[in-house]
Amino acid sequence: MGSVYDTDLKQDQGVWIRWLGENESGTKQCFRLGKEKAEAKRRLRLITALYEAQVDAAKLNGGTWFPDQLKAAKQIAKGKQAILPRLTLPANETDSIRQSGESYARLLAALNRRGDAFEPECSEDFADALEDVAADQKRHRLTNAWLLGTNPDRDPTGQTVNQALNAFTDYLTTQYTLPDGNLSPWGKTQIDQLKSWRHYMEVATESRNGEKIPLLLLQTDLADVTPAKAQQMVDATRNRPLTFESKKSRRMAVKTALSINKKIKHFFDWLDLSDEWHWWEPPRFRKLKFKVAELTPQESHEEKLKKERWRLSDDEIQTLVKYATPVERVLLVLGLNCAFGSGEIGNLRIPYVKFATSEIDGIRFKTGSDTRHHLWPETVEALQWELNRRKAIPKQETSKDIFFLSEKSGQPLWKKSKAGNYNNGIAKRWTDLLDRVQKDHPKFHRYSFGKLRKTAAIRIIELADAEAASMILAHGIPSEDKILSAYVTIPWQKLYEAQKAYGETVRPLLATQRPAFEQPPKNYIGDKAAQIIEQHNAGSSAYQIADEVGVSVMTVYRHLTRAGLRDTQP
């Protein structure tokens, strides 16, 4: 730095003065800063900043002030706006070099970042440089925000909630993609939860002056995701909106909203820890409300009625057995005996089935939990029939040890794509069975295949207890102690005894008039076939039956022949 002649302000005839630097002639430079000391100090601070920014270059020109800078300093001393002139350096006796626009803009930005208030020269030749520096300053503030974990000025990040959700989806996909390239079931579930949350945020609104105003949550810049904005995002599903699947006729289930809540928390935690996304958890963020809206009295009533339909009655099981084809019978007994759903049946491996001991010993692929079951004689017979059928499939992929294969392609009857979607041949066969039943019994309840699993669990609870029911569902040891399984084994014998007792109660329901695994003949007249047999046993002739039932005499004879009654007289 050049000469600084006074370290303190002095007064001359009531005016505060300060000597600072020398002009080109080597004369000491005095600045008269006004009569107010506080204002004089402010002006001196600006003049000193201007002096220090150019003094080293000025020494090359003789003195410690450039003419333009000294002129600007005198204007500051008079109380005028502080202007930062561009430096002009002499190259030789006739030529000079002017400070580049970028260098000048950066110097201006550096001075103002310290708190000084300089305005640029009125020139357009460095406007682009000023824009670049402004962008650099923004990056500087965001970097500081990242280091401090805060963005108090809420500078726009250029990153939206929608973009962050896309990145989080990619993160989950990477985390839950298996070595074979397929997305795990749990990974697909989480991504589906995110999709659901996104859909409800797209349509979220708030009331203003009696009007519904879109919140545009997905378009929100991350800098604007304050606790209040985050609460709106959570409320999109926390309040259990009307669902798209029900065509806005039914509210979201409490369990669904709770599951989405967990994924929302996961998303914000991931966002807070990410180096690529400029959002940091605000101090008040943990005060967000996540409690899901409770059921209304009407919803509680409907839920109670719904639970009553979780269990198939004995009559309904008998009806399903009566109409089931051999393949459908295999699925039916596995659902009732082992509480198997589509996933458990589809992932059943041949080595898991122990025919010699009448049991299944494997794992549940969805959770990795052990699954073991005592098999009823009906189930052993069904699995043996299925294994024989499987061996007869000509195109099967012999490297697979999956039990159930499609008779047409030889591929697994239940499989998932790389995207995690299921090609569920089991559900299709169940649908076919219900279609045939409802053709003759229109009021038969259209249960999902999973209700067999619930029926089995309920029956086991009745015959044993909740622990045995947890075992048949392959939920592991029912305990809050997470490491208990490392010290004890699951009491499978308890489940086996319950399944044996359960099998005794179900056995009469599984009985059929024809051989259990004989393909039933085509029945084109539905329930009229049973009426033909009934009237024949009551003593009616074939002509009387045909007239009463509304079919041809040949149809009557054909059904009597199938039933072995053609030549019998009641």
Side-chain angles (χ1 to χ4, degrees), residues 173-288:
T173 302
T174 301
Q175 291 293 311
Y176 292 97
T177 295
L178 302 174
D180 61 3
N182 291 324
L183 190 64
S184 72
W186 175 229
K188 182 180 184 302
T189 297
Q190 294 182 82
I191 290 173
D192 287 344
Q193 289 169 351
L194 277 184
K195 288 180 180 177
S196 182
W197 184 37
R198 186 197 298 264
H199 290 160
Y200 289 106
M201 283 198 290
E202 283 179 342
V203 299
T205 61
E206 67 176 350
S207 296
R208 296 180 190 170
N209 299 323
E211 296 184 10
K212 295 288 187 180
I213 307 299
L215 289 174
L216 304 177
L217 295 174
L218 295 178
Q219 288 75 41
T220 302
D221 189 282
L222 292 184
D224 294 324
V225 181
T226 60
K229 181 62 69 174
Q231 186 65 68
Q232 290 179 331
M233 295 167 64
V234 173
D235 288 348
T237 50
R238 182 182 75 91
N239 291 331
R240 300 177 49 235
L242 296 174
T243 62
F244 298 112
E245 295 81 1
S246 68
K247 297 182 179 179
K248 299 297 185 73
S249 64
R250 187 177 65 252
R251 292 180 72 185
M252 178 181 289
V254 171
K255 184 177 180 180
T256 301
L258 288 172
S259 298
I260 293 176
N261 266 356
K262 292 180 181 179
K263 198 46 50 190
I264 293 174
K265 293 176 181 178
H266 188 185
F267 167 70
F268 281 123
D269 286 343
W270 169 84
L271 195 60
D272 184 41
L273 294 174
S274 174
D275 290 339
E276 299 179 8
W277 298 90
H278 302 303
W279 183 85
W280 303 274
E281 186 176 290
R284 295 181 292 116
F285 189 77
R286 291 301 171 182
K287 294 185 178 181
L288 292 185

Side-chain angles (χ1 to χ4, degrees), residues 135 138-143 145-146 150-164 218-226 271 274-280:
K138 177 181 176 181
R139 286 192 297 270
H140 176 76
R141 289 196 302 274
L142 288 175
T143 300
W146 178 77
T150 182
N151 185 4
D153 297 328
R154 290 172 59 183
D155 291 310
T157 64
Q159 299 171 330
T160 65
V161 170
N162 191 53
Q163 292 170 336
L218 295 178
Q219 288 75 41
T220 302
D221 189 282
L222 292 184
D224 294 324
V225 181
T226 60
L271 195 60
S274 174
D275 290 339
E276 299 179 8
W277 298 90
H278 302 303
W279 183 85
W280 303 274

Side-chain angles (χ1 to χ4, degrees), residues 311-540:
R311 170 179 174 165
L312 279 73
S313 67
D314 289 354
D315 289 342
E316 288 171 325
I317 292 174
Q318 274 190 310
T319 300
L320 290 171
V321 169
K322 175 183 176 182
Y323 283 81
T325 64
V327 172
E328 293 162 355
R329 180 180 174 86
V330 179
L331 305 180
L332 189 61
V333 294
L334 277 174
L336 293 171
N337 184 169
C338 306
F340 276 3
S342 296
E344 287 76 26
I345 293 176
N347 281 310
L348 183 64
R349 301 300 199 259
I350 293 176
Y352 293 174
V353 182
K354 316 295 183 183
F355 287 105
T357 56
S358 297
E359 65 180 333
I360 285 177
D361 186 354
I363 63 169
R364 187 184 183 208
F365 276 70
K366 182 178 180 179
T367 60
S369 301
D370 289 339
T371 177
R372 293 178 62 177
H373 302 279
H374 166 76
L375 299 179
W376 305 332
E378 294 84 359
T379 311
V380 171
E381 181 186 15
L383 288 172
Q384 189 63 64
W385 179 88
E386 175 63 25
L387 193 59
N388 293 334
R389 185 190 71 88
R390 181 189 189 282
K391 293 177 181 177
I393 297 175
K395 297 181 181 180
Q396 66 174 285
E397 187 176 334
T398 56
S399 63
K400 295 184 179 296
D401 63 355
I402 294 176
F403 209 104
F404 290 89
L405 301 180
S406 168
E407 60 271 18
K408 292 183 179 180
S409 66
Q411 293 297 311
L413 192 61
W414 181 95
K415 62 181 179 179
K416 61 179 181 293
S417 66
K418 288 187 176 181
N421 297 313
Y422 298 106
N423 177 14
N424 194 342
I426 296 169
K428 182 181 184 305
R429 282 159 175 75
W430 181 253
T431 299
D432 291 343
L433 172 57
L434 291 179
D435 287 344
R436 293 197 304 277
V437 170
Q438 287 190 321
K439 183 177 180 180
D440 293 342
H441 306 279
K443 295 183 179 181
F444 190 91
H445 190 74
R446 201 169 185 87
Y447 293 101
S448 66
F449 187 72
K451 293 302 183 292
L452 292 177
R453 178 173 169 82
K454 287 184 170 64
T455 298
I458 293 171
R459 294 287 183 103
I460 291 296
I461 285 180
E462 292 173 346
L463 293 168
D465 54 25
E467 183 182 41
S470 180
M471 286 189 281
I472 198 174
L473 294 172
H475 287 172
I477 295 178
S479 171
E480 296 180 359
D481 188 342
K482 301 300 182 183
I483 61 174
L484 182 62
S485 60
Y487 295 90
V488 301
T489 57
I490 297 175
W492 295 111
Q493 193 59 38
K494 180 178 183 178
L495 173 62
Y496 283 14
E497 293 301 324
Q499 286 179 312
K500 289 177 183 178
Y502 173 28
E504 293 297 325
T505 66
V506 174
R507 183 156 296 117
L509 310 179
L510 301 178
T512 58
Q513 292 181 351
R514 66 177 189 277
F517 292 96
E518 177 184 290
Q519 186 71 26
K522 293 289 186 180
N523 179 10
Y524 298 100
I525 62 174
D527 204 36
K528 290 180 179 181
Q531 295 178 31
I532 291 174
I533 305 301
E534 182 181 345
Q535 293 199 24
H536 172 77
N537 292 335
S540 299

Side-chain angles (χ1 to χ4, degrees), residues 16-194:
W16 294 98
I17 64 171
R18 173 72 185 272
W19 299 84
L20 182 62
E22 300 172 351
N23 60 22
E24 289 180 302
S25 302
T27 303
K28 299 176 183 179
Q29 185 61 49
C30 178
F31 293 95
R32 301 180 68 82
L33 303 170
K35 296 181 179 182
E36 296 290 335
K37 188 172 184 179
E39 176 62 17
K41 286 183 176 181
R42 187 192 71 83
R43 296 176 187 180
L44 178 60
R45 177 176 59 79
L46 292 170
I47 292 172
T48 302
L50 181 59
Y51 175 76
E52 292 176 349
Q54 53 87 66
V55 64
D56 290 336
K59 290 178 180 178
L60 301 175
N61 196 38
T64 58
W65 279 104
F66 279 103
D68 289 343
Q69 276 66 19
L70 180 56
K71 181 179 179 181
K74 290 179 178 180
Q75 292 296 313
I76 294 172
K78 295 177 180 180
K80 304 294 185 181
Q81 173 64 52
I83 303 294
L84 178 67
R86 294 174 70 180
L87 289 173
T88 302
L89 304 177
N92 50 47
E93 294 182 356
T94 58
D95 298 323
S96 62
I97 300 175
R98 200 171 189 199
Q99 184 180 16
S100 70
E102 181 179 359
S103 173
Y104 170 78
R106 292 191 177 279
L107 175 59
L108 177 65
L111 290 175
N112 287 341
R113 192 158 55 229
R114 292 189 323 193
D116 302 320
F118 285 91
E119 291 290 334
E121 286 184 333
C122 295
S123 175
E124 298 179 357
D125 58 352
F126 56 88
D128 291 341
L130 284 174
E131 291 180 4
D132 291 341
V133 171
D136 185 66
Q137 284 182 300
K138 177 181 176 181
R139 286 192 297 270
H140 176 76
R141 289 196 302 274
L142 288 175
T143 300
N144 283 342
W146 178 77
L147 293 173
L148 297 174
T150 182
N151 185 4
D153 297 328
R154 290 172 59 183
D155 291 310
T157 64
Q159 299 171 330
T160 65
V161 170
N162 191 53
Q163 292 170 336
L165 278 172
N166 288 338
F168 185 52
T169 301
D170 292 340
Y171 163 78
L172 292 177
T173 302
T174 301
Q175 291 293 311
Y176 292 97
T177 295
L178 302 174
D180 61 3
N182 291 324
L183 190 64
S184 72
W186 175 229
K188 182 180 184 302
T189 297
Q190 294 182 82
I191 290 173
D192 287 344
Q193 289 169 351
L194 277 184

